[in-house]
Amino acid sequence: MRIWIYGSSPEEVREMIEKSVSFGNTVSGTSLQAEIDSPFPQSGLVTAISAAMRGEFDLLLVPAIELLGSRSNAAQMAELFQSYGVSVKSVSSSGINNS
């Protein structure tokens, strides 16, 4: 499976790769959440959305679904990725499962 990892810091992305990407899977790309006071806080997802549109990965892996925004925004973002054939999964124990 081709995986894109979206996190809030380089350390968090590295940790998700180490703990959540199993043998045989490929990390197709990574991106980071923008700074909290950024005018476009989801700007780190732009490259992931572009790659999804090109069919470059199958799964968007996030540390917690809240990283995608409020509950309704996160659901809309998951639907957007799904429209390009990409599943969204949170690695947090309390987060979402496959969308």
Side-chain angles (χ1 to χ4, degrees), residues 7-86:
S8 58
S9 70
E11 296 79 19
E12 184 174 59
V13 167
R14 206 172 10 262
E15 183 178 322
M16 286 194 304
I17 291 171
E18 291 171 2
K19 293 182 178 180
S20 302
V21 178
S22 59
F23 182 76
N25 292 323
T26 302
V27 176
S28 296
T30 64
S31 56
L32 299 175
Q33 179 184 32
E35 296 294 322
I36 301 226
D37 57 352
S38 171
F40 185 47
Q42 301 301 338
S43 63
L45 286 173
V46 172
T47 52
I49 293 168
S50 296
M53 291 171 72
R54 293 188 302 270
E56 296 178 358
F57 67 101
D58 311 298
L59 173 67
L60 174 66
L61 194 61
V62 296
I65 194 63
E66 294 79 18
L67 197 62
L68 299 178
S70 68
R71 187 174 207 84
S72 63
N73 288 344
Q76 289 175 342
M77 192 62 70
E79 287 175 17
L80 174 64
F81 278 101
Q82 287 173 340
S83 73
Y84 296 112
V86 173

